[in-house]
Amino acid sequence: MNTRLVLWQSARTALRRPGFLSLASVTLALGVAACAAVFALIDAVLLTPPPYPQSQQLAVVSTRQARAWPAISPRQYQALAGVDGINAMGARFVPRDVNVAGSDQPELASAWPTDAGLLSTLGVRMRLGRNFTADEDRPNGARAAIISEAFWQRHFAAAADVIGRNILIDGVATPIVGVLPASFRLDGSPDLLLPLALPSHSQDDSTNLLVVVRRAPDILPATLDAAIDTRLQAQRRELGQAPLPLDVHYGTSPLAAQFGQSARPVLMLFLGCGACVLLLVALNLSNLMLLRALARSHDSAVRSALGASLRQLIAPALAEGLLVGGLGGLGGLALAAFALGLARAWLPADWMAANVPMIGLPTVALALATGLGVALLAALFGAWRGRGRMLASELVAGTRMGASVASQRLGRALVVTQAALATLLLAASALLTHSLWKLSQVDLGFDARGVVTFRLNPAPALYPDTASVQHLVQTLLDRLGSEPGVHDAAIVTTLPIGSQLNVPVLLPDGSSPSEPPQFRAVSAHSFAVFGIPLLAGRDLAESDRAGSEPVAVVNRAFARQFLADAALGQSIRLDLGTQTPLPAMRIVGVVGDVHQFGPQEAAPPIVYMPFAQMPDTLFGLLRDFVPLNAVVRVDGTVATQAARLHTVLREVDARQGMAGLRQFERDVADATAPQRMNAMLVGVFAALAILLAAVGLYSVTAVAVATRQRELGVRAALGAAPSRLLREVVARGIADVGLGLGLGLAVTLLGGQLLERFLFGIERGDPLALLATLLVLLLAGLVATMTPALRAARIAPMTALRND
């Protein structure tokens, strides 16, 4: 018979029996969906190149030990001019908030100060307009702004004549000269770009510039790194700066490597989980295909005896494999697209640009290839049993043979392997969940309930000095304090969690900590708003103003680490490296610690300074980097207070915008968002693994009971109690699960280093998590074996013997 005809007839036969086809296709679709979803994330976050031409030639300059998005100083940036191998270069300063007016409601917008070289180095094709000119990109040059496509859509309804229009930026009319494409991004996406305007010979040694270079095509990265290191090391020697440690050098890192690098460890964890699920699916599908081969073994034996070739014998299995693979691949792709559509809303914003598609052609190809490949391999595995020698034995035995001992052992081996893989995923999920619970129990040192925050950035053109800003702040606080439903209001430069600001400090003995402590300028009532307890001394008061004695409050970590728990009355001084030193501040109080970097990190030492005593020198350095945060303890939520807060700010100064109006509890939740995401996604993988392992155990146990029907009937006829038969079937299934459980726990304990970086307060051998894993998997095994076991216990002896 023609092989194609056999394939077609086999496919039609499979379609007439949709039960097996549906079960196998759904099983495969779950595995394909898990792998396709993870690969889609990896492709979009890690493998998709930056949206710029010849992006492999783009690199970021830094020291080799730099982490996250690296930076160098303006003086170092200018020293790179003329380095062999650099075709072009551009820079971006630290992003900042600016007031943008021109509509009914002013707002704070995210601005990136960039030089004219950045867009040309990246090769950005403007959506509209042009790049900055040399006249605009110099100190006191012509005003200009480039807006993002989102800002253009939001404020100008995508008007084609937007070029040349003016917007008020920090109170100054600024013409729009260009619109960025939607694809533009580096470490995020700005609302607008402003000219960097560096002086021709900058003396700024602060590492606050992100520098992108385009490498010449004929220059190797190592050659360029050596040239950059030579130039910048020579500059350090010329300036008399301390040399870098021997293991630290200047160089470049590919721009593509910077995109999504924070997601890399998490995605590798998800990839491991997805691979485990796919392997479980492959084992389960192999089990199902093996059972199908057993079901048609007698028919195959007859056909073999009549002269059918091996190709014709395996055609039915291949036909089923193609059907299952195609349906499973398409179904898995649809499930992955649906899951990623739901997940995109809570994936971290810095993982990918909003316009990057989640499902691309590589993911589609992978899903279909995986579905067909796994299904065909499983089908061939099942057909492997149809070898001539085994079929001959089948024909001799007739219908009494049932499943061979070897087949039963193979099925049980697959169940053990499935149980081991399920244990790995379930243990990982239990460990991450217990770790998340531990994080939630950490006392952060403040009370976020009922606190609403928003950002301000008084425009330098409108508020040129510290006194004018302090007057605005005090007026706003007085006005907020008179509002009904407001219990307390304050201004802080840094919130207690999620952001940071380090300032060097000179201690009473003249020394300076190697790691600068955290610094905050705060108004009176700040500790009351956040519920930070006063441990010793006094709080900052309204009387701590300019002209009064300079004072400070420190937290317990600062007092313990630097002042031997004897902080009150001692004097410290902020060290800005300026020629005119700042006045010494007497410590008048000690407050409780706060976990600035989240519950998983220790509380850092912090210095609190009265906002009203901040000198012009300090405020002038900070205002470009740090917005002012208004914090208000209110009755109700943002939804109920938003309109009132906007009205108050408009009454105080209609030119000021606000940004980031939100419940402070959301900032606290964001501190553990990665842990919650890890626990949830690994939990989804674990749930799939348990389901697949339970289905595999059920199918193997059900077939074992069916093939032992005669034996069980004979034993029942000889007096075996139904309860004994039930116990034997359950015991065999639980033994297989127990063996897999032991193997999985051993692998978790011996080889679970990948998990340790995601755990807090527990180790990978955490007894509570492992006990939960043990109980859940044994319960799943018990449920999976109970139905076949009950069937075995209810076998009627005469019926079993009559069927022989």
Side-chain angles (χ1 to χ4, degrees), residues 72-83 86 89 227-228 231-232 235 238:
I72 61 174
S73 71
R75 196 202 297 257
Q76 290 173 325
Y77 170 52
Q78 292 177 339
L80 294 177
V83 169
I86 296 181
M89 63 180 184
I228 289 175
R231 177 67 61 87
L232 295 185
Q235 184 192 54
E238 291 172 5

Side-chain angles (χ1 to χ4, degrees), residues 237-607:
R237 290 192 295 270
E238 291 172 5
L239 297 174
Q241 296 175 346
L244 293 177
L246 293 178
D247 60 338
V248 180
H249 304 278
Y250 292 104
T252 62
S253 57
L255 180 64
Q258 302 296 326
F259 284 85
Q261 65 172 339
S262 62
R264 192 180 304 272
V266 177
L267 290 178
M268 292 303 102
L269 175 65
F270 294 166
L271 180 62
C273 293
C276 283
V277 170
L278 184 62
L279 185 54
L280 267 168
V281 166
L283 292 172
N284 222 337
L285 202 58
S286 298
N287 227 338
L288 291 173
M289 292 295 188
L290 177 61
L291 298 180
R292 287 288 288 166
L294 292 176
R296 57 173 171 254
S297 59
H298 189 75
D299 176 66
S300 298
V302 172
R303 292 173 59 208
S304 177
L306 294 176
S309 66
L310 179 61
R311 184 170 57 183
Q312 291 173 328
L313 289 175
I314 66 173
L318 289 178
E320 288 180 345
L322 287 171
L323 268 177
V324 170
L327 293 174
L330 292 173
L333 195 59
L335 281 175
F338 176 74
L340 289 172
L342 295 178
R344 183 149 200 169
W346 46 263
L347 287 174
D350 62 340
W351 278 22
M352 71 190 79
N355 62 329
V356 173
M358 294 295 291
I359 299 290
L361 287 178
T363 304
V364 174
L366 176 81
L368 295 179
T370 301
L372 290 171
V374 170
L376 287 175
L377 286 175
L380 290 173
F381 174 75
W384 170 72
R385 188 183 179 276
R387 293 170 301 171
R389 183 185 51 167
M390 298 181 69
L391 291 177
S393 301
E394 180 75 35
L395 190 60
V396 171
T399 60
R400 295 177 54 177
M401 180 177 178
S404 68
V405 174
S407 296
Q408 293 183 34
R409 287 177 179 173
L410 183 58
R412 294 183 64 188
L414 293 177
V415 168
V416 170
T417 307
Q418 286 179 311
L421 291 172
T423 300
L424 276 175
L425 291 178
L426 187 57
S429 176
L431 288 168
L432 290 172
T433 302
H434 192 198
S435 175
L436 181 62
W437 181 83
K438 286 274 190 178
L439 282 173
S440 68
Q441 300 306 302
V442 174
D443 181 8
L444 297 175
F446 57 86
D447 184 6
R449 293 172 298 179
V451 177
V452 173
T453 68
F454 59 89
R455 298 195 310 275
L456 299 169
N457 192 12
L462 304 176
Y463 300 93
D465 55 20
T466 312
S468 59
V469 174
Q470 290 169 344
H471 181 266
L472 169 68
V473 165
Q474 193 57 52
T475 304
L476 177 63
L477 294 179
D478 291 342
R479 183 68 180 81
L480 287 171
S482 65
E483 284 293 303
V486 173
H487 299 285
D488 262 316
I491 290 287
V492 298
T493 52
T494 307
L495 295 171
I497 198 168
S499 56
Q500 60 177 315
L501 175 62
N502 299 83
V503 175
V505 171
L506 292 177
L507 299 175
D509 60 2
S511 65
S512 182
S514 57
E515 182 70 26
Q518 295 293 306
F519 168 81
R520 293 191 183 93
V522 300
S523 67
H525 309 294
S526 296
F527 302 129
V529 172
F530 290 117
I532 299 175
L534 179 67
L535 304 180
R538 69 171 178 86
D539 198 346
L540 298 177
E542 300 281 359
S543 58
D544 295 319
R545 296 182 173 277
S548 62
E549 179 192 16
V551 296
V553 168
V554 299
N555 70 335
R556 178 163 47 188
F558 186 97
R560 180 173 55 250
Q561 188 171 339
F562 303 126
L563 301 175
D565 281 326
L568 291 181
Q570 299 207 50
S571 294
I572 57 176
R573 188 192 307 270
L574 300 180
D575 181 18
L576 303 181
T578 55
Q579 292 182 347
T580 304
L582 297 181
M585 302 179 295
R586 183 172 62 88
I587 298 174
V588 297
V590 178
V591 296
D593 292 335
V594 298
H595 287 266
Q596 179 75 34
F597 308 114
Q600 67 274 20
E601 300 289 343
I606 304 175
V607 175

Side-chain angles (χ1 to χ4, degrees), residues 50-58 120-125 214:
Y52 309 116
Q54 292 83 48
S55 61
Q56 71 277 5
Q57 298 172 8
L58 295 172
S120 59
T121 299
L122 293 173
V124 174
R125 294 184 178 180
R214 183 171 286 277

Side-chain angles (χ1 to χ4, degrees), residues 171-264:
V172 180
T174 305
I176 297 172
V177 300
V179 177
L180 293 168
S183 60
F184 175 79
R185 71 186 183 108
L186 286 174
D187 52 342
S189 302
D191 290 318
L192 47 90
L193 304 183
L194 297 176
L196 178 59
L198 282 179
S200 57
H201 299 286
S202 176
Q203 306 298 307
D204 188 355
D205 290 318
S206 302
T207 53
N208 47 33
L209 281 188
L210 170 67
V211 174
V212 179
V213 299
R214 183 171 286 277
R215 177 173 45 83
D218 57 339
I219 297 296
L220 295 175
T223 303
L224 179 59
D225 289 352
I228 289 175
D229 186 57
T230 300
R231 177 67 61 87
L232 295 185
Q233 295 282 23
Q235 184 192 54
R236 293 184 70 91
R237 290 192 295 270
E238 291 172 5
L239 297 174
Q241 296 175 346
L244 293 177
L246 293 178
D247 60 338
V248 180
H249 304 278
Y250 292 104
T252 62
S253 57
L255 180 64
Q258 302 296 326
F259 284 85
Q261 65 172 339
S262 62
R264 192 180 304 272

